[in-house]
Amino acid sequence: MKRGTDMKPSMRAVLILCFVFLGTTAFAGQFGAPEPLAKKDGRVSLGIGSFYSQNEWEPKEGINVQSTKAKSYQHYIQLSISAGTIETYFRIGGSNIKVENAYMTGGTANDPNIEGFKSEFKDGYNLFGTVGVKGVIDINENFAIGPFAQATLSDDYEDSTGGTIYGMPYTQNLKFKSPWEIDVGVAFQYRNREFVAYAGPFLYWGDSRVEGSYTPHEGAVAIPSWDTKYEMKDIFGGMAGLRIPILPGLNIEIEGQYTNQWSAGANISYGF
């Protein structure tokens, strides 16, 4: 192919399809035990936490666009407010993202004339927020059940990489906009004084629109931009965790989740 000539339609289609490997990740984070952290009505608890998340997403638009897996770390602060057996919480923090094989390379396009592009998409810590509500229904002194619901919204993520296609220099640009997730579930709880163990199933939904473009350099021909939509793969997950008292009012909580990949995190909180 010569510089300045139109790119063949078949090659253009391959580039676009290979370029939309990017998905996103679970942004929900930790759910926590049904038992309110603050023990009296109108009281609050404050906490800090971290959560490592990985999940698979799949395209809902486009032809031959592949599913993908992404990884993310969340770091956040959390305010919880109790009202009897019900607790509402608000979480704000930063979350990063890494996606394997996100960009088109010679390997993903099966074309040795595509060179120099990195394969991994990544962006640093961007703002996200979470709001949730949960409650506890006592069965007896030690056992209880607790429904919960949680919603998370994140800022946009962007990254780019440079390389050549048939000797012509390009920058590949990727952006996914306002990824969100909603979770609804129920936890079964065992309580012994301040120690709490919990586990249960949950349903989850999430998506993000993904935008991609190519920036041509030094006389390279233009390639059309594109956009598609990714949704979280599957909707059913499970979680389990422990709340361990350290000092009066001070607790550490550890939780693991499984959707289509394992995720885990921990937080420490103080109830007033």
Side-chain angles (χ1 to χ4, degrees):
M1 180 178 292
K2 297 180 180 179
R3 293 177 184 269
T5 61
D6 289 336
M7 189 167 291
K8 292 180 179 179
S10 58
M11 182 59 188
R12 188 176 299 162
V14 169
L15 296 179
I16 293 172
L17 293 176
C18 290
F19 193 32
V20 296
F21 282 174
L22 176 66
T24 182
T25 186
F27 288 87
Q30 197 159 323
F31 301 128
E35 187 77 14
L37 286 162
K39 300 303 181 183
K40 296 182 180 179
D41 288 0
R43 293 292 184 91
V44 303
S45 68
L46 293 175
I48 58 173
S50 293
F51 196 83
Y52 173 73
S53 176
Q54 53 181 355
N55 208 327
E56 293 183 11
W57 284 59
E58 58 185 3
K60 292 302 178 181
E61 299 172 3
I63 302 172
N64 297 325
V65 183
Q66 298 188 22
S67 299
T68 187
K69 182 175 77 171
K71 303 174 183 178
S72 177
Y73 279 101
Q74 289 183 359
H75 305 296
Y76 60 87
I77 58 175
Q78 178 172 305
L79 170 68
S80 303
I81 305 171
S82 70
T85 59
I86 299 175
E87 182 175 72
T88 303
Y89 56 94
F90 305 90
R91 187 179 298 162
I92 190 168
S95 177
N96 69 353
I97 188 171
K98 293 183 179 180
V99 184
E100 299 174 356
N101 298 320
Y103 289 103
M104 177 198 64
T105 65
T108 58
N110 196 26
D111 190 332
N113 295 296
I114 301 172
E115 300 179 322
F117 298 105
K118 68 178 183 178
S119 62
E120 182 183 67
F121 173 97
K122 62 180 179 180
D123 196 4
Y125 286 92
N126 291 342
L127 185 68
F128 81 94
T130 297
V131 60
V133 61
K134 55 187 176 180
V136 62
I137 303 169
D138 290 328
I139 298 174
N140 56 38
E141 182 179 352
N142 297 112
F143 293 95
I145 60 174
F148 62 87
Q150 182 172 283
T152 300
L153 180 66
S154 178
D155 202 355
D156 298 347
Y157 291 87
E158 298 183 68
D159 193 18
S160 61
T161 180
T164 61
I165 302 173
Y166 282 84
M168 297 187 295
Y170 290 90
T171 298
Q172 295 186 43
N173 312 290
L174 286 177
K175 178 179 183 179
F176 61 93
K177 305 182 69 175
S178 303
W180 60 268
E181 181 175 341
I182 294 176
D183 308 271
V184 178
V186 61
F188 301 90
Q189 174 182 284
Y190 170 77
R191 178 182 60 235
N192 188 344
R193 297 182 180 179
E194 299 303 314
F195 172 83
V196 178
Y198 61 96
F202 64 94
L203 300 175
Y204 59 97
W205 303 268
D207 73 32
S208 175
R209 291 216 68 87
V210 181
E211 297 180 348
S213 64
Y214 295 85
T215 303
H217 302 281
E218 300 176 10
V221 299
I223 299 175
S225 60
W226 58 269
D227 71 274
T228 189
K229 180 181 178 181
Y230 271 81
E231 292 184 357
M232 299 182 72
K233 188 176 181 180
D234 304 325
I235 63 169
F236 182 80
M239 60 88 171
L242 298 172
R243 180 184 295 170
I244 304 169
I246 302 174
L247 296 170
L250 184 66
N251 298 276
I252 186 170
E253 205 164 67
I254 304 168
E255 182 176 301
Q257 297 177 7
Y258 184 78
T259 52
N260 43 51
Q261 300 288 325
W262 288 102
S263 302
N267 65 44
I268 186 167
S269 61
Y270 183 81
F272 294 90

